[in-house]
Amino acid sequence: DKVDGCVHQVTYSPDGRLIAAACQDRTVRLYDADTARLLAVAREHADFVYSVAFSPDGRRLLSVGRDAVKVWSVAELRNRRPAP
C-alpha cells in the first residue's frame, strides 16, 4: 500500500519486531521490521500525522497528528487489513 505523501517519522517497537510510521496522508502504518511487510493501516486521523511512539511495553502506540493525539492497541492494529 503506497503512502500518498511523505512519512514524517518512523519508530521501532521496544522488542524491535515492528516499525510504526506517521504519514502525511493521515495514516498510521505498522510494518514487520524483518520483512518490511505492511501489517496495518489506521485511517482515523483527519489531518497529517507527525509522530508515533510505542509504550515501553510495546502494547500501545501513540500517534500525534495535526488534528488529535490518539492511543492505539498494537494488538488491535495488527488485526486490521492493510488494504485501503
Side-chain angles (χ1 to χ4, degrees):
D1 190 20
K2 182 180 171 238
V3 175
D4 184 21
C6 70
V7 174
H8 286 283
Q9 185 213 359
V10 297
T11 189
Y12 279 91
S13 62
D15 65 6
R17 293 181 180 178
L18 300 172
I19 298 171
C23 304
Q24 183 176 345
D25 67 356
R26 303 181 308 225
T27 63
V28 173
R29 293 166 186 261
L30 198 62
Y31 296 89
D32 181 288
D34 290 331
T35 66
R37 182 173 66 95
L38 180 63
L39 301 174
V41 179
R43 302 179 189 280
E44 282 78 357
H45 276 280
D47 213 330
F48 297 169
V49 183
Y50 291 112
S51 185
V52 285
F54 283 95
S55 62
D57 65 5
R59 296 175 64 192
R60 299 269 183 233
L61 180 68
L62 177 84
S63 60
V64 179
R66 186 182 279 178
D67 64 322
V69 174
K70 297 185 181 278
V71 179
W72 310 89
S73 161
V74 172
E76 289 177 18
L77 280 176
R78 290 188 70 157
N79 288 326
R80 292 178 179 219
R81 294 175 187 233

